[in-house]
Amino acid sequence: MDRTAEIFRQTRETKVKLSLNLDGTGKTSAGSGIGFFDHMLDLLGRHSLIDLTVHAEGDLQVDAHHTVEDVGI
């Protein structure tokens, strides 16, 4: 049984596309426009051996809150 998921979430503030493989090798790609957040997502995937791809677009002109929140959801 594969433990994978692909999710697309769109709100008024953000668009998030995410793919996840819990039985991966730690391959990650994160692009949210928030450098530190991308770094933390990369570390999460790499050290937990989860394959994780995240592409997020958000209202960063306001702040990073909505982008981080919607990726987490």
Side-chain angles (χ1 to χ4, degrees):
M1 170 191 261
D2 288 338
R3 297 189 305 161
T4 63
E6 288 189 20
I7 297 168
F8 179 76
R9 174 178 169 81
Q10 183 170 351
T11 67
R12 290 181 302 192
E13 295 91 8
T14 64
K15 289 182 189 176
V16 177
K17 183 176 180 183
L18 182 142
S19 66
L20 174 72
N21 178 357
L22 294 177
D23 301 311
T25 61
K27 180 179 176 184
T28 64
S29 174
S32 68
I34 307 164
F36 182 71
F37 186 49
D38 293 345
H39 172 68
M40 295 306 290
L41 290 169
D42 179 59
L43 291 176
L44 172 68
R46 188 179 322 164
H47 292 293
S48 63
L49 298 179
I50 293 172
D51 292 346
L52 178 64
T53 302
V54 178
H55 177 75
E57 299 174 19
D59 57 352
L60 297 180
Q61 72 281 5
V62 175
D63 66 17
H65 172 89
H66 292 127
T67 304
V68 173
E69 178 181 49
D70 286 348
V71 168
I73 291 172

